[in-house]
Amino acid sequence: MNDTTTPTPDFHFFAASVVTWASTNDERDLRALLRLMDKEGYAYNLFLVPVPHTENYDINYYQPQVEGTQHLGFFEKRGKR
């Protein structure tokens, strides 16, 4: 059997600034997520969340509340806003 559907990964990336948050999903890969956050011009944190993007979880102080979440870094756009 040749299944052409792509399984949902067991993880996703989550980015949050003081203005917004977004995550990777079926339509938005990591590059698109970073472009989206950079376009806003605000500093943001990036996390690797060890559950599928379809999973429900709490977000406190701009951080996903999922055991095993990894903080990957703090990013800020350099230059003009």
Side-chain angles (χ1 to χ4, degrees), residues 8-16 20-37 44-55 57 59 62-64 66 68-73 75:
T8 301
D10 293 335
F11 67 91
H12 67 282
F13 295 95
F14 175 91
T20 193
W21 65 265
S23 68
T24 54
N25 56 40
D26 295 336
E27 291 82 37
R28 183 187 304 126
D29 65 9
L30 180 57
R31 287 184 202 184
L33 174 62
L34 297 178
R35 276 194 304 268
L36 173 72
M37 299 305 290
Y44 61 93
N45 286 289
L46 181 65
F47 300 89
L48 176 64
V49 185
V51 295
H53 71 85
T54 55
E55 191 83 19
Y57 55 85
I59 300 167
Y62 312 103
Q63 298 179 24
V66 175
T69 294
Q70 297 177 34
H71 180 248
L72 301 178
F75 299 83

